[in-house]
Amino acid sequence: MALHALSGDVIPVSKMPVFAHERLLPVHDALIPLFAGSSDSPAGLVRGQTVVCAGSVAVSCALGLVAGVTQAGSWAAIVGMPSIGILAAATIGVSLDRTVFVNASSVDRASSIDRIVTAGPAARGDSSAALSALVDGVDLVVVARSVMAGLHSSVVRRLQSRAQSKGSVLVIIGDPPATSVDVRLTARSVQWEGLGDGHGHLRRRLVSVEMEGRRCPRRRVHSVWLPDTSGALARVDHLVDHTVDHTVDHTADHSIDRTA
């Protein structure tokens, strides 16, 4: 069982009242321009939605979402992604004491999930029941494409409906088949800084994040440092002469995303 951070009991989302003004989960400061509404409304992830993170920097982008949610005091779960290093996630900004890491093999053992979250009736011992338990128990559930692809389309629809009713956000890495998506985030590496003519060290990476989808009124594009010089997700305060080049060589991309 790959459980790297857990302390105390998780209060199921289903047992907490969700009011209209609480329909948003906080996002990291660097991502606020993407999720900002009108001038007088807060920015955040809409509870109940399904979000896909795609592109060459998809995994780091998803971790950026986890960072914003867990730093604000909510719980998150990351399922089926054993390649993610705990130190790397923490460096990006993920609060480990509010994040549950579950291997794909553990998803098929619902009894293991029962030890992670308290989510009403015991799960039945299959992947769908285990994922449903996580959706019940935490605010943000990040699932690898390989896990979602192994589920029947009807099961995926039920899982999404459950997330809507419980007020959780389901984040999927990649583009799984037969999945209705509310918001799509496509994160691409623009360029690394720090390398000179055959010398130097990689210091930070400029990433372009494009947001679109049926729940997104208009396409938005925003640039962030992911990672910045400290390894974290950060705002780009002054961007000069940087243009998005989707043909950039990604061989030097962050190890988190190369192993996704």
Side-chain angles (χ1 to χ4, degrees), residues 51-76:
V51 179
V52 161
C53 290
S56 61
V57 196
V59 177
S60 290
C61 180
L63 289 178
L65 297 179
V66 175
V69 169
T70 56
Q71 287 177 9
S74 294
W75 282 81

Side-chain angles (χ1 to χ4, degrees), residues 29 31 34 41 76 79 86 89-90 101 109-110 121 123 133 142 146 163 203 207 211 215 218 241 244 247:
D29 289 346
L31 298 176
L34 282 172
S41 62
V79 182
I86 304 305
F101 293 81
R109 300 195 301 272
V142 179
S146 58
R203 297 181 61 249
V207 170
M211 178 177 174
R215 300 299 183 186
R218 60 183 177 83
D241 295 332
V244 176
T247 63

Side-chain angles (χ1 to χ4, degrees), residues 9-18 22-26 45-51 65-66 68-78 98-100 117 131-143 159 162-171:
D9 295 328
V10 180
I11 300 175
V13 175
S14 58
K15 293 185 179 180
M16 296 186 297
V18 178
E22 297 174 336
R23 292 294 299 176
L24 296 177
L25 285 176
L45 287 162
V46 179
R47 290 180 179 271
Q49 288 191 349
T50 297
V51 179
L65 297 179
V66 175
V69 169
T70 56
Q71 287 177 9
S74 294
W75 282 81
I78 300 176
R98 289 191 171 272
T99 305
V100 177
V117 294
L131 289 171
S132 294
L134 287 171
V135 168
D136 281 2
V138 299
D139 295 285
L140 183 75
V141 181
V142 179
V143 186
L159 186 63
R162 194 174 189 90
Q164 291 175 357
S165 65
K166 302 301 180 181
S168 301
V169 173
L170 184 64
V171 178

Side-chain angles (χ1 to χ4, degrees), residues 79-82 104 143-151 172-174 176:
V79 182
M81 304 185 69
V143 186
R145 182 189 187 281
S146 58
V147 174
M148 295 298 293
L151 301 176
I172 305 171
I173 306 295

Side-chain angles (χ1 to χ4, degrees), residues 79-125:
V79 182
M81 304 185 69
S83 62
I84 291 181
I86 304 305
L87 178 59
T91 302
I92 285 179
V94 173
S95 178
L96 297 182
D97 60 353
R98 289 191 171 272
T99 305
V100 177
F101 293 81
V102 185
N103 281 337
S105 59
S106 298
V107 178
D108 292 324
R109 300 195 301 272
S111 60
S112 297
I113 301 300
D114 290 337
R115 293 198 297 269
I116 298 176
V117 294
T118 303
R124 297 185 302 276

